[in-house]
Amino acid sequence: RDDIPAGAVTEVDARRLGGGCPVPVGPLADRPRTAIPASEQVCRVMAGETLVALARVQGGMIRPVRVLNETPCHGVDDVDHP
C-alpha cells in the first residue's frame, strides 16, 4: 500500500465517497483534508485509519474509482469463527 499516495477526508466526506459520490477538493474550513494529490493519479482515501476508497482527483473533485467496505465481521458469519 505504501506505493499508492494517501489522503485524509472527514467522516462526512467518507460516507459520500462510500456511496460513490464525488466530494470537492480544497482547504475548506469545515472540510479539512490532507495530502490528496492534485492530479488524476490514483490515491488511497482514508478516514482516520479506515481505507474508504481508491480515487482520482478530476475537475476539482475527489472521484471514487473503487469503494471499499471494510466492515469488521465478528461472530457466526466470520470465516474464522469456530
Side-chain angles (χ1 to χ4, degrees), residues 3-77:
D3 59 335
I4 301 174
V9 295
T10 64
E11 291 293 327
V12 171
D13 286 342
R15 282 192 296 275
R16 288 187 51 79
L17 288 165
C21 298
V23 297
V25 167
L28 304 174
D30 61 338
R31 293 181 170 193
R33 294 186 178 81
T34 59
I36 299 287
S39 70
E40 293 193 15
Q41 177 181 5
V42 172
C43 65
R44 292 179 287 138
V45 179
M46 308 291 294
E49 297 293 317
T50 303
L51 178 60
V52 176
L54 296 176
R56 283 194 170 95
V57 175
Q58 297 174 317
M61 302 292 282
I62 303 169
R63 299 185 184 279
V65 173
R66 175 74 62 182
V67 174
L68 305 164
N69 292 316
E70 291 191 352
T71 305
C73 182
H74 303 288
V76 295
D77 293 328

